[in-house]
Amino acid sequence: MSHTTAFHGSAKEDILESLCNQFTIDDQCLFKITQTFLSEISDGLSGYGRPMAMIPTFVKGVPDGSETGTFLALDLGGTNLRVCEVTLLGDKTFSLRQQKYKVSEALKTGEVTTLFDYLADSVDAFLTDTASQGHDSHVSHPDEDSPYVPLALTFSFPVEQSALDSGVLLTWTKGFSAKNAIGKDVVKLLQDAFDRKHIHVKCVALVNDTVGALLSRAYTSGGCILGAIFGTGTNGAYVEEVSKITKLRQNPTVAAGGEMIVNTEWGGFNNSRSALPTTPYDNKLDRESINPGFQAFEKFISGMYLGEIARNVILSLIDAAPKPLLFGGRSSAVLNKQWGLDTAVLSEIEEAWECLGRFSPPGQGSPEAQKEEKLRRIQGVLAQRLELSLTDISLEDADVVRQVCNLIASRAARMSGTAVAAILVHTERARLWDHGEQSSAGLKDEGKRIGVGVDGSLVEFYPNFQTKLRASLRALVGPEVESRVDIGMAKDGSGVGAALCALVAQRQSQANHTNGAYEYDPKDIKVTPPIELAYISSLSR
């Protein structure tokens, strides 16, 4: 099918069958994607400049929940900038106080110095507000000889790190395109902003928000090997053996051995699209995006793009000739605008289909009557969110749109499972399952819980997303391994993870000053009174 703007002459049932065939991915396709994932993981670990960057983070060790301390976090989540105070309580729990600041489109697309000045101003504003409201924040400096308070920067964009406190921006994602940023050290950009404004804060560590999710889940659950984001964007970070990160070559970290967290940047997986099940709608979205040819995997599965894929499909049905297949051929300003259909609308449609039982007693009404009630709820969602008249939306229209949304979201969830499976296989915690008799003999963590921390609006709120992800994972690694995968939400990963990384950075710095080698130990990360407060800037999803 060559057209994405209109269908020509086919019956509605044939059109829906064609869409189903394009967006449904079978187990064989899942295996192909996973095998390609494994190849690109190895490629990224062996060299620089790969689409799936496999970035060494220089964060060594994973917390166990006993760490304590009070810190600040600065969390950029797309449209909002959040400054928060994080207190780690040492019993796998934490407390939080926060304030949000809006990030305008002008800041996202203007000069990079203006964006980072705004980040610095937001920290300053939070501190000023905290002081004026009389909150006791237990502020003190880790080094009484230093006038600066340490800060760990959690940055949710692809960065090539060369040390814990240094990293060069490779590319912008998620709608950001601030000028004169690519190739610059983001830690220096932030530090320069603090210095220009005479704000006494020092950036001591650079952390990806996905790394933060891993650290946060490890802290609250007692262990974690993979952190994954399935929200506006997507990414994963996992615990790798340093010896396998061969591109580090002569870096002193290699001699020390042990383990290190690697930021995969898997949103850029398979930019060639050799393994991804591409449709004309995916091609159109990519061509019209701000980064055509890049972040291919992300464009198939993340919340920033699913609504746009659905919008393109819906428009093709509206524009079908000689007879329209949706809404009597009527569109709206929402549907006619690029990015006008938010993925949240897809979630609302699926929620309306799933939630009838919450409003009606079980067994009430015939199956036909229950289906009609569900479709009327979807009809209402479409009228409100697409700004269409109810008279233009038949129940049949509502059912077609529901099926389109389900196809697109199901594909995203199943493809998300391939990323998790690839990490489990690569780290020797699973084997690709041939559907024969399964044995975990010889696997790492044999018979034990495998901790996976997740964050993001899709995995947290989209109906059945995690269930479908798990079904995909089970098909790839088998039921025995899948049953041991403990997927849990990473509570405020960017803030808590950054707090933990700031503490690690302090300890590593102290070890360097005494010429001693540093290996992570949770006992090292217990702050005695007065509680230290670190300013942690976290730009995250």
Side-chain angles (χ1 to χ4, degrees), residues 213-263:
L214 190 162
L215 293 173
S216 171
R217 181 61 182 169
Y219 178 80
T220 57
S221 69
C224 183
I225 62 100
L226 169 65
I229 304 293
F230 299 109
T232 304
T234 185
N235 193 15
Y238 72 103
V239 180
E240 179 62 281
E241 297 174 16
V242 171
S243 61
K244 290 184 177 180
I245 314 173
T246 55
K247 64 183 175 183
L248 286 176
R249 295 184 178 87
Q250 303 304 314
N251 190 291
T253 305
V254 175
E259 296 179 327
M260 179 189 294
I261 297 175
V262 170
N263 165 26

Side-chain angles (χ1 to χ4, degrees), residues 68-133:
T68 62
T70 303
F71 308 86
L72 283 185
L74 174 59
D75 175 13
L76 179 63
T79 56
N80 289 312
L81 178 71
R82 180 177 60 113
V83 184
C84 53
E85 182 181 281
V86 180
T87 300
L88 305 172
L89 302 176
D91 58 357
K92 300 182 181 179
T93 66
F94 61 89
S95 63
L96 187 69
R97 188 159 50 85
Q98 62 183 345
Q99 179 66 45
K100 291 183 179 180
Y101 305 87
K102 188 170 180 60
V103 180
S104 67
E105 288 301 314
L107 286 169
K108 293 180 183 180
T109 59
E111 281 293 327
V112 70
T113 52
T114 305
L115 173 63
F116 277 80
D117 280 348
Y118 183 69
L119 301 182
D121 285 338
S122 298
V123 173
D124 195 34
F126 181 81
L127 295 174
T128 302
D129 291 344
T130 298
S132 65
Q133 293 171 15

Side-chain angles (χ1 to χ4, degrees), residues 13 39 72 77-78 85 111 130 154 174 191 248 267 272 349 507:
E13 292 76 14
S39 176
L72 283 185
E85 182 181 281
E111 281 293 327
T130 298
T154 304
K174 295 172 290 157
Q191 191 60 55
L248 286 176
S272 68
I349 290 167
R507 297 304 177 184

Side-chain angles (χ1 to χ4, degrees), residues 463-476:
N464 299 317
F465 189 91
Q466 187 175 149
T467 300
K468 293 173 181 177
L469 185 157
R470 273 197 170 277
S472 170
L473 182 63
R474 186 161 53 252
L476 289 165

Side-chain angles (χ1 to χ4, degrees), residues 405-427:
C405 294
N406 181 262
L407 284 170
I408 292 167
S410 295
R411 183 184 71 163
R414 283 175 65 78
M415 289 177 68
S416 298
T418 66
V420 178
I423 296 301
L424 296 183
V425 173
H426 172 76
T427 58

Side-chain angles (χ1 to χ4, degrees), residues 404-478:
V404 167
C405 294
N406 181 262
L407 284 170
I408 292 167
S410 295
R411 183 184 71 163
R414 283 175 65 78
M415 289 177 68
S416 298
T418 66
V420 178
I423 296 301
L424 296 183
V425 173
H426 172 76
T427 58
E428 301 176 9
R429 290 178 170 85
R431 303 183 186 94
L432 284 176
W433 185 41
D434 61 3
H435 292 262
E437 184 176 346
Q438 191 176 20
S439 171
S440 61
L443 294 176
K444 191 180 293 185
D445 296 334
E446 178 183 347
K448 297 180 181 178
R449 165 191 173 274
I450 303 171
V452 175
V454 294
D455 196 7
S457 54
L458 282 179
V459 73
E460 184 172 8
F461 299 117
Y462 202 102
N464 299 317
F465 189 91
Q466 187 175 149
T467 300
K468 293 173 181 177
L469 185 157
R470 273 197 170 277
S472 170
L473 182 63
R474 186 161 53 252
L476 289 165
V477 301

Side-chain angles (χ1 to χ4, degrees), residues 507-519:
R507 297 304 177 184
Q508 290 185 194
S509 176
Q510 291 170 4
N512 290 338
H513 288 157
T514 58
N515 295 320
Y518 176 77
E519 288 295 328

